Amino acid sequence: MQKESLKQQLQNLSSQISAMHLDHLERKWITISLLVIGFFVGIMTIDAFFHGINPPGKVETVDSASLHLSKEFAEENLGVQVDDQGNITVRMVAGRYSFFPKHISVPAETRLTFRWVSMDVLHGVHIPMTNMSTMIVPGYVAEITTTFPKPGEYPMLCNEYCGLGHNHMWSNISVIAKENWTTPAKLVSKGGPSHE
Amino acid sequence: MNDASERKLILSHFWVAFIAFVVACFMGEYQVLERSGFIAAWDSPSVYFASVSTHGVLMAFVLTTFFIMGFGYAIAASSLKQPLWNKPLAWLGFWMALIGVVLAAIPLLSGKASVLYTFYPPIVAHAAFYIGATLLVVGSWFWCVIMLVMFKQWKQANPGETMPLAMFATAMNALLWLWTSAGVAVEVLFQLIPLSLGWIDTIDPGLARTLFAWTLHPIVYFWLIPAYIAFYVFVPKQAGGYLFSDEMARLAFIVLAVFALPIGFHHLYMDPEQAKGWKFLHAIGTFVVALPTLVTGFTVIASLEIAGRLRGGKGMLGWVVCLPWTNTMVLAVILSLLMLIFGGFGGIVNASYAMNAMVHNTAWVPGHFHLIFAGTTVIMYLAIAYYVWPILVRKPLFSQPLAIVQLWTWFLGMTILTTPWHVLGLLGQPRRISTVVYNNLLTLAWKPYEFMMIFGGLILLGSAVLFIYILAKTQLSASAETVSVTIEFAEPLHAVESLPLWLNDFKLWNKVIAVLMAISFGYPILQFFFMDTSGSSPWGY
Ligand code: HEM
Ligand SMILES: [Cu+2]
Ligand SMILES: [Cu+2]
């Protein structure tokens, strides 16, 4: 298509739009609607580009059928680990019908990186009243980063149907005041994350 | 619609839809009872999940598809004032879809397809379930073809004329459905059926979820469009006024259909297999698609105001009082809009991924879609049924006052059912659970809300039974007087003199859709063929 005709087409289109019968109230309402939508989109854009608020989505694959053979998600590497820089990573495996390890302790008001994998089917995990929520899709590592502001005992609930025992799928997490939290001893020296 | 065979075709579709509806309502009430733990003897995850799977399929796929097909035939025949094209093909589609439903019902009811209506693999159901679902969809494609052919034939026979709004929107919906169903069709044909029959050993659940997300958003607009059609073409007339703007209605339908398609990733916000950039893009599209709904709200309320003032309403809100509240269509639209306002608010929460993280897959989600789907959308299906039944069976409606009671109770029941459901979600209750066994204090707070839901469900169940009763009584009555009314379409306030081609045809929009879909789903689907993925083998449940 030549440039000329495209330009003409666009001009046609815009003259047709302006020829449409539009009531002045209707015009006002559409303007308000567009402003409201623009407002929401604006907030999301600013949050995404300046505050780093994004949905999870690392698109990292893993072989869910042989997690025990993988270095990172072998049983002894699960749970809370602190690397040399003091970054905390929590590695968890979901499988019908529990999350492993069954119980973990993490510090409050601290950035935590969760890495979730499934060993069988689709699961989801949510810690109620927090935004620690993600789908756990077999074949992928679900990584999310969050901070828990309030210490307390929280359940971790599976929130995607994964079979008839779905409602029995849950574990516990203790969020401990930052100053009382101690690094789980046996895990300190495991070194940096092996996935990178 | 003077032709008896056409009326029979339409009635057959409606009856399948509404029988599915009332059966599923019984299951819904069973579900709220079971999950509350109120009747200890009923506690059974296998029955519960067989029931939820069946309830979901009946409501989301059977009620909707059959209703939309029947409604489309009624609109085409009445608005174009011409006989339906190729009735044998329409019957073929009907039977194919019905056989599909029966085929899927067997494993569903015998607990061999408790995979829920979203059938997320690698949990795999009996192959008959997927094959049945496929037949249902293929049957509905015949309907799409008939709608689009009639659209085209009418245009050829009436060059330069304005396509009646009702048919414009119906044909747009047929086009939308062809695009929409492509995603799930590919998933079922290339992943689920082969996997369930053992032809392939593994599939990629990430790809399956991406393909399902292709379908999952626009399918709700496929369900919603008949309600919007009623808003635009029935309500103003029934209220005694005029449609505020015909052009704006067309524009709303176009934006709705075009932008409903490329935004399905808001169902994957919390998923690991798609990157955040794509989710952001789809999030923006999700907000854009709110625009036609806001415009629709404006047009409907403006049309109602015109009617109210013509009926003598004065002052700021006097016209509201003067509306014919005892007209089923008018009452339904008012209740529908009320539910849309609250449901739309919830929708904004879901669409904003930062807030969505708090409610994702909690009880909030079924609370939200019962309000907006079982509420806003279905109440218009009910009102449409009341409107067309006397036309289809040629007898007066059995009881107008009972129909009014039925609509009010549907609204009331839905409010009582969904308000606590939303609260439960905020209190962290996951969706799709058959009992509460978490040994945690938090769950104590859930109890009162679960009881409220039983009560709301009971009202809804009674309302659904009353609905069927009114329809059956109307049809079976020995009434001597024959009604020979036809469907009446609202006149626009300003007659449409000439329309630009792009408001009277889909060729341009079909191309726009193709481009938008290529942008928003092209790479996200292709990536699975370049990535080093390790598939999942099938699992039972
Ligand atoms: C008597 C009225 C109704 C009651 C009491 C009811 C109740 C329920 C319950 C308890 C669930 C299970 C939710 C869960 O386990 O998280 C459910 C699921 C569902 N309902 Fe209803 N419902 C009713 C009517 C409707 C209507 C009219 C529709 C739509 C037209 C509908 C559509 C659905 C769908 C699609 C699901 C599947 C959700 C899923 O798989 O997560 N329901 N309903
Ligand atoms: Cu699970
Ligand atoms: Cu959606």
XYZ file of all heavy atoms in Angstrom, chain A residues 99-169:
564
model
N 3.310 -28.800 50.830
C 4.447 -27.997 50.402
C 5.637 -28.448 51.226
O 5.497 -28.683 52.430
C 4.192 -26.503 50.637
C 3.024 -25.966 49.839
C 1.837 -25.635 50.468
C 3.123 -25.798 48.474
C 0.762 -25.152 49.743
C 2.045 -25.311 47.738
C 0.864 -24.982 48.379
N 6.782 -28.570 50.608
C 7.964 -29.044 51.324
C 9.028 -27.961 51.290
O 9.254 -27.403 50.222
C 8.494 -30.313 50.670
C 7.451 -31.381 50.577
C 6.769 -31.586 49.386
C 7.135 -32.157 51.694
C 5.786 -32.567 49.293
C 6.155 -33.142 51.595
C 5.467 -33.351 50.394
N 9.699 -27.705 52.437
C 9.476 -28.291 53.762
C 8.127 -27.863 54.357
O 7.579 -26.823 53.981
C 10.617 -27.727 54.600
C 11.395 -26.816 53.751
C 10.786 -26.744 52.409
N 7.634 -28.681 55.312
C 6.305 -28.445 55.883
C 6.248 -27.149 56.685
O 5.196 -26.571 56.873
C 5.899 -29.599 56.812
C 5.698 -30.915 56.124
C 4.351 -31.107 55.470
C 3.134 -30.965 56.366
N 1.894 -31.010 55.575
N 7.370 -26.777 57.251
C 7.361 -25.547 58.049
C 8.656 -24.773 57.840
O 9.741 -25.355 57.829
C 7.200 -25.877 59.535
C 7.235 -24.645 60.381
N 8.371 -24.241 61.024
C 6.285 -23.717 60.633
C 8.121 -23.100 61.655
N 6.860 -22.759 61.435
N 8.529 -23.467 57.650
C 9.735 -22.646 57.547
C 9.574 -21.393 58.418
O 8.454 -21.007 58.752
C 10.026 -22.201 56.093
C 8.787 -21.575 55.464
C 10.519 -23.365 55.252
C 9.064 -20.899 54.137
N 10.705 -20.793 58.762
C 10.695 -19.523 59.497
C 11.455 -18.486 58.688
O 12.544 -18.765 58.198
C 11.392 -19.674 60.852
O 10.730 -20.637 61.626
N 10.849 -17.331 58.571
C 11.508 -16.253 57.831
C 11.421 -14.967 58.641
O 10.538 -14.821 59.486
C 10.855 -16.037 56.446
C 11.043 -17.249 55.553
C 9.395 -15.680 56.596
N 12.321 -14.025 58.391
C 12.264 -12.759 59.126
C 11.221 -11.811 58.521
O 10.980 -11.841 57.318
C 13.667 -12.188 58.935
C 14.129 -12.763 57.642
C 13.500 -14.119 57.511
N 10.628 -10.988 59.373
C 9.720 -9.946 58.895
C 10.541 -8.804 58.313
O 11.754 -8.711 58.529
C 8.849 -9.458 60.043
N 9.874 -7.941 57.588
C 10.481 -6.710 57.044
C 11.798 -6.950 56.322
O 12.727 -6.138 56.413
C 10.715 -5.699 58.168
C 9.431 -5.228 58.814
C 9.709 -4.450 60.084
O 9.857 -5.071 61.158
O 9.802 -3.227 59.975
N 11.869 -8.082 55.632
C 13.085 -8.424 54.905
C 12.685 -8.928 53.527
O 11.714 -9.665 53.402
C 13.842 -9.555 55.644
O 13.966 -9.188 57.015
C 15.207 -9.778 55.032
N 13.460 -8.521 52.536
C 13.172 -8.992 51.180
C 13.449 -10.471 51.050
O 14.545 -10.939 51.359
C 14.086 -8.237 50.214
C 13.388 -7.544 49.107
C 14.427 -6.749 48.335
N 14.644 -7.392 47.032
C 13.871 -7.142 45.979
N 12.867 -6.301 46.082
N 14.112 -7.732 44.834
N 12.432 -11.203 50.612
C 12.590 -12.648 50.463
C 12.317 -13.025 49.021
O 11.371 -12.538 48.423
C 11.568 -13.388 51.348
C 11.545 -13.035 52.833
C 10.304 -13.624 53.478
C 12.801 -13.551 53.498
N 13.156 -13.904 48.483
C 12.903 -14.414 47.136
C 12.448 -15.866 47.253
O 13.196 -16.713 47.729
C 14.168 -14.332 46.277
O 14.554 -12.953 46.218
C 13.897 -14.835 44.874
N 11.198 -16.098 46.849
C 10.683 -17.464 46.871
C 10.871 -18.093 45.510
O 10.615 -17.466 44.484
C 9.178 -17.457 47.192
C 8.858 -17.215 48.635
C 8.740 -15.923 49.131
C 8.649 -18.286 49.498
C 8.425 -15.696 50.455
C 8.337 -18.063 50.831
C 8.224 -16.761 51.320
N 11.326 -19.334 45.510
C 11.398 -20.101 44.253
C 10.603 -21.387 44.429
O 10.974 -22.261 45.198
C 12.858 -20.378 43.882
C 13.562 -19.103 43.395
C 15.050 -19.294 43.195
N 15.402 -20.313 42.216
C 15.330 -20.141 40.889
N 14.908 -18.985 40.385
N 15.684 -21.119 40.064
N 9.478 -21.449 43.717
C 8.545 -22.577 43.867
C 8.599 -23.467 42.634
O 8.593 -22.971 41.505
C 7.099 -22.062 43.987
C 6.807 -21.229 45.190
C 6.953 -19.889 45.299
C 6.307 -21.696 46.440
N 6.555 -19.474 46.553
C 6.156 -20.570 47.268
C 5.955 -22.957 46.940
C 5.667 -20.659 48.569
C 5.468 -23.048 48.239
C 5.340 -21.905 49.044
N 8.587 -24.772 42.870
C 8.443 -25.705 41.749
C 7.436 -26.788 42.126
O 7.221 -27.069 43.308
C 9.784 -26.378 41.361
C 10.691 -25.389 40.680
C 10.429 -27.017 42.568
N 6.850 -27.394 41.112
C 5.910 -28.488 41.343
C 6.575 -29.797 40.960
O 7.358 -29.848 40.014
C 4.662 -28.289 40.491
O 3.920 -29.494 40.444
N 6.265 -30.870 41.700
C 6.813 -32.160 41.276
C 5.773 -33.006 40.568
O 6.044 -34.108 40.144
C 7.397 -32.912 42.465
C 6.450 -33.159 43.600
S 7.368 -33.843 44.988
C 6.283 -35.192 45.395
N 4.548 -32.478 40.436
C 3.544 -33.270 39.732
C 2.642 -32.383 38.869
O 2.939 -32.137 37.711
C 2.730 -34.137 40.706
C 2.365 -33.415 41.993
O 2.005 -32.217 41.931
O 2.413 -34.028 43.075
N 1.542 -31.894 39.461
C 0.541 -31.183 38.666
C 0.579 -29.685 38.968
O 1.465 -29.213 39.676
C -0.872 -31.751 38.950
C -0.937 -33.216 38.560
C -1.249 -31.549 40.397
N -0.427 -28.992 38.443
C -0.560 -27.570 38.703
C -0.977 -27.329 40.163
O -1.873 -27.997 40.670
C -1.650 -27.053 37.766
C -1.927 -25.576 37.691
C -0.725 -24.853 37.112
C -3.142 -25.346 36.793
N -0.298 -26.416 40.824
C -0.716 -25.976 42.157
C -0.684 -24.457 42.173
O -0.212 -23.820 41.236
C 0.236 -26.488 43.242
C 0.327 -27.974 43.340
N -0.589 -28.726 44.013
C 1.238 -28.845 42.841
C -0.257 -30.009 43.926
N 0.843 -30.105 43.215
N -1.179 -23.907 43.298
C -1.022 -22.479 43.510
C -0.692 -22.334 44.975
O -1.000 -23.221 45.761
N -0.066 -21.241 45.360
C 0.166 -21.072 46.788
C -0.112 -19.634 47.169
O 0.198 -18.703 46.427
C 1.602 -21.482 47.192
C 2.640 -20.683 46.438
C 1.797 -21.345 48.700
N -0.764 -19.485 48.299
C -1.083 -18.160 48.799
C -0.923 -18.158 50.301
O -1.359 -19.092 50.969
C -2.523 -17.789 48.424
C -2.926 -16.404 48.840
N -4.209 -16.057 49.157
C -2.184 -15.268 49.004
C -4.265 -14.775 49.487
N -3.053 -14.276 49.406
N -0.286 -17.136 50.809
C -0.271 -16.910 52.249
C -1.327 -15.843 52.504
O -1.155 -14.698 52.088
C 1.118 -16.463 52.735
C 2.141 -17.552 52.382
C 1.101 -16.188 54.234
C 3.568 -17.217 52.792
N -2.466 -16.217 53.135
C -3.565 -15.269 53.290
C -3.116 -13.941 53.896
O -2.212 -13.913 54.733
C -4.528 -15.991 54.224
C -4.267 -17.427 53.989
C -2.801 -17.526 53.700
N -3.753 -12.885 53.464
C -3.498 -11.519 53.926
C -2.166 -10.967 53.434
O -1.750 -9.901 53.858
C -3.512 -11.375 55.458
C -4.555 -12.169 56.162
S -6.167 -11.500 55.779
C -7.164 -12.517 56.821
N -1.480 -11.710 52.586
C -0.233 -11.184 52.029
C -0.299 -11.312 50.510
O -1.215 -11.927 49.982
C 0.993 -11.994 52.507
O 1.022 -13.230 51.776
C 0.928 -12.291 53.989
N 0.693 -10.737 49.843
C 0.723 -10.904 48.393
C 1.693 -11.998 47.973
O 2.123 -12.041 46.838
C 1.009 -9.579 47.692
C 2.349 -9.006 48.096
O 3.095 -9.639 48.827
N 2.647 -7.813 47.611
N 2.052 -12.885 48.920
C 2.858 -14.048 48.547
C 1.907 -15.031 47.883
O 1.289 -15.859 48.542
C 3.523 -14.674 49.775
C 4.815 -15.438 49.512
S 4.879 -16.468 48.043
C 3.664 -17.677 48.398
N 1.759 -14.882 46.582
C 0.829 -15.707 45.839
C 1.431 -16.009 44.489
O 1.974 -15.115 43.845
C -0.492 -14.948 45.677
O -1.341 -15.604 44.779
N 1.359 -17.254 44.074
C 1.801 -17.570 42.719
C 1.206 -18.895 42.267
O 0.848 -19.727 43.087
C 3.335 -17.653 42.605
O 3.676 -17.920 41.231
C 3.918 -18.761 43.454
N 1.085 -19.048 40.956
C 0.768 -20.349 40.392
C 2.062 -21.138 40.337
O 3.144 -20.564 40.141
C 0.235 -20.210 38.963
C -1.007 -19.386 38.822
S -2.395 -20.027 39.729
C -2.618 -21.601 38.912
N 1.967 -22.449 40.519
C 3.149 -23.299 40.392
C 2.858 -24.279 39.266
O 2.090 -25.224 39.424
C 3.441 -24.037 41.713
C 3.424 -23.044 42.883
C 4.783 -24.743 41.635
C 3.495 -23.713 44.239
N 3.443 -23.987 38.116
C 3.147 -24.761 36.912
C 4.266 -25.769 36.701
O 5.437 -25.382 36.697
C 3.039 -23.822 35.687
C 2.708 -24.609 34.424
C 1.999 -22.740 35.932
N 3.945 -27.044 36.557
C 5.009 -28.029 36.351
C 5.831 -27.681 35.116
O 5.275 -27.286 34.090
C 4.266 -29.355 36.179
C 2.823 -29.029 36.049
C 2.621 -27.665 36.610
N 7.142 -27.792 35.250
C 8.020 -27.450 34.137
C 8.624 -26.061 34.249
O 9.502 -25.706 33.473
N 8.149 -25.283 35.223
C 8.632 -23.899 35.348
C 8.960 -23.580 36.800
O 8.370 -24.150 37.720
C 7.565 -22.910 34.842
C 7.255 -23.138 33.389
C 6.303 -24.084 33.012
C 7.955 -22.463 32.396
C 6.051 -24.345 31.673
C 7.708 -22.711 31.068
C 6.753 -23.655 30.701
O 6.519 -23.913 29.386
N 9.893 -22.654 36.986
C 10.185 -22.168 38.330
C 9.387 -20.889 38.532
O 9.501 -19.952 37.744
C 11.686 -21.860 38.496
C 11.962 -21.374 39.912
C 12.527 -23.079 38.173
N 8.572 -20.863 39.568
C 7.802 -19.652 39.860
C 8.579 -18.858 40.901
O 8.694 -19.279 42.052
C 6.417 -20.028 40.382
N 9.132 -17.732 40.461
C 9.929 -16.938 41.403
C 9.199 -15.650 41.733
O 8.770 -14.916 40.838
C 11.291 -16.619 40.783
C 12.142 -15.775 41.713
C 13.554 -15.565 41.186
O 14.237 -16.549 40.882
O 13.957 -14.387 41.086
N 9.046 -15.374 43.012
C 8.489 -14.084 43.399
C 9.228 -13.533 44.602
O 9.745 -14.273 45.429
C 6.984 -14.138 43.708
C 6.692 -15.163 44.768
C 6.152 -14.427 42.504
C 5.288 -14.981 45.271
N 9.229 -12.231 44.671
C 9.944 -11.544 45.735
C 8.935 -10.745 46.544
O 8.088 -10.059 45.969
C 10.979 -10.598 45.116
O 11.798 -11.377 44.247
C 11.840 -9.957 46.163
N 9.022 -10.858 47.849
C 8.099 -10.088 48.672
C 8.691 -9.851 50.047
O 9.753 -10.362 50.380
C 6.729 -10.797 48.781
O 5.796 -9.890 49.355
C 6.808 -12.034 49.658
N 7.967 -9.063 50.813
C 8.379 -8.735 52.174
C 7.153 -8.872 53.063
O 6.080 -8.409 52.685
C 8.876 -7.271 52.223
O 9.924 -7.136 51.269
C 9.388 -6.891 53.589
N 7.315 -9.523 54.205
C 6.184 -9.617 55.137
C 6.311 -8.548 56.203
O 7.261 -8.567 56.982
C 6.145 -11.001 55.807
C 5.976 -12.128 54.834
C 6.935 -13.124 54.734
C 4.860 -12.190 54.015
C 6.775 -14.162 53.834
C 4.695 -13.233 53.117
C 5.663 -14.217 53.022
N 5.362 -7.632 56.275
C 5.501 -6.555 57.259
C 5.225 -7.016 58.686
O 5.842 -6.508 59.619
C 4.460 -5.518 56.810
C 3.545 -6.223 55.871
C 4.223 -7.451 55.375
N 4.324 -7.991 58.874
C 3.898 -8.325 60.241
C 4.337 -9.718 60.669
O 4.028 -10.690 59.990
C 2.367 -8.278 60.324
C 1.791 -6.895 60.442
C 0.418 -6.943 61.108
C -0.454 -5.795 60.649
N -1.465 -6.171 59.688
N 5.016 -9.838 61.814
C 5.349 -11.158 62.331
C 4.081 -11.928 62.695
O 3.042 -11.325 62.985
C 6.171 -10.867 63.596
C 6.580 -9.449 63.483
C 5.529 -8.767 62.684
N 4.157 -13.241 62.678
C 3.003 -14.054 63.047
C 3.103 -15.435 62.441
O 4.037 -15.738 61.700
N 2.126 -16.271 62.792
C 2.056 -17.619 62.227
C 1.072 -17.588 61.069
O -0.083 -17.204 61.248
C 1.556 -18.623 63.288
C 2.498 -18.802 64.460
C 3.829 -19.411 64.018
O 3.800 -20.317 63.164
O 4.878 -18.943 64.506
N 1.527 -17.945 59.897
C 0.640 -17.920 58.730
C 0.524 -19.316 58.126
O 1.512 -20.053 58.100
C 1.201 -17.000 57.645
C 1.251 -15.531 58.004
C 2.301 -15.022 58.762
C 0.271 -14.659 57.550
C 2.361 -13.673 59.080
C 0.335 -13.305 57.846
C 1.384 -12.817 58.620
O 1.451 -11.483 58.913
N -0.653 -19.632 57.592
C -0.726 -20.859 56.799
C -0.318 -20.557 55.365
O -0.388 -19.417 54.918
C -2.210 -21.236 56.875
C -2.928 -19.943 57.062
C -1.966 -18.986 57.742
N 0.139 -21.582 54.662
C 0.372 -21.472 53.220
C -0.600 -22.436 52.580
O -0.532 -23.636 52.833
C 1.792 -21.915 52.870
C 2.842 -20.890 53.136
S 4.410 -21.397 52.412
C 4.990 -22.527 53.651
N -1.540 -21.910 51.789
C -2.615 -22.750 51.281
C -2.455 -22.977 49.781
O -2.112 -22.044 49.043
C -3.971 -22.075 51.536
C -4.224 -21.598 52.972
C -5.584 -20.921 53.059
C -4.147 -22.753 53.949
N -2.733 -24.201 49.349
C -2.768 -24.439 47.912
C -4.068 -23.840 47.398
O -5.139 -24.121 47.932
C -2.715 -25.922 47.580
S -2.835 -26.203 45.790
N -3.991 -23.011 46.361
C -5.219 -22.380 45.881
C -5.528 -22.670 44.417
O -6.285 -21.951 43.793
C -5.232 -20.879 46.183
C -4.231 -20.116 45.355
O -3.552 -20.681 44.507
N -4.137 -18.821 45.581
N -4.928 -23.721 43.887
C -5.400 -24.184 42.584
C -5.721 -25.662 42.696
O -4.940 -26.437 43.259
C -4.359 -23.933 41.489
C -4.813 -24.319 40.079
C -6.118 -23.652 39.641
O -7.192 -24.239 39.906
O -6.069 -22.538 39.073
N -6.889 -26.039 42.182
C -7.334 -27.428 42.254
C -6.257 -28.353 41.707
O -5.782 -28.170 40.588
C -8.615 -27.574 41.438
C -9.117 -28.998 41.336
C -9.625 -29.647 42.449
C -9.078 -29.685 40.127
C -10.094 -30.950 42.360
C -9.543 -30.979 40.025
C -10.044 -31.609 41.143
O -10.510 -32.894 41.045
N -5.859 -29.341 42.520
C -4.768 -30.217 42.088
C -5.135 -31.676 42.272
O -4.286 -32.549 42.164
C -3.491 -29.868 42.845
S -3.686 -29.839 44.634
N -6.402 -31.949 42.581
C -6.831 -33.318 42.793
C -7.776 -33.362 43.980
O -8.039 -32.340 44.614
N -8.281 -34.571 44.274
C -9.332 -34.660 45.297
C -8.834 -34.273 46.682
O -9.621 -33.970 47.563
C -9.918 -36.077 45.314
C -10.600 -36.484 43.993
C -11.188 -37.879 44.093
C -11.682 -35.485 43.607
N -7.528 -34.285 46.890
C -7.011 -33.912 48.209
C -6.618 -32.444 48.290
O -5.990 -32.012 49.257
N -7.005 -31.673 47.281
C -6.593 -30.275 47.186
C -6.780 -29.502 48.493
O -5.913 -28.725 48.893
C -7.375 -29.619 46.038
C -7.374 -28.139 46.010
N -6.211 -27.404 46.051
C -8.382 -27.249 45.937
C -6.527 -26.112 46.005
N -7.833 -25.991 45.937
N -7.912 -29.723 49.176
C -8.117 -28.923 50.397
C -7.226 -29.356 51.558
O -7.176 -28.690 52.570
C -9.574 -28.881 50.856
C -10.416 -29.943 50.248
O -10.959 -29.734 49.176
N -10.505 -31.081 50.885
N -6.527 -30.483 51.400
C -5.613 -30.896 52.465
C -4.203 -30.377 52.229
O -3.283 -30.703 52.976
C -5.582 -32.418 52.574
C -6.882 -32.994 53.036
N -7.188 -33.163 54.369
C -7.975 -33.387 52.344
C -8.404 -33.660 54.474
N -8.912 -33.803 53.263
N -4.034 -29.603 51.200
C -2.687 -29.186 50.823
C -2.348 -27.834 51.448
O -2.790 -26.795 50.963
C -2.579 -29.111 49.296
C -1.198 -28.764 48.817
S -0.937 -29.354 47.152
C 0.633 -28.545 46.816
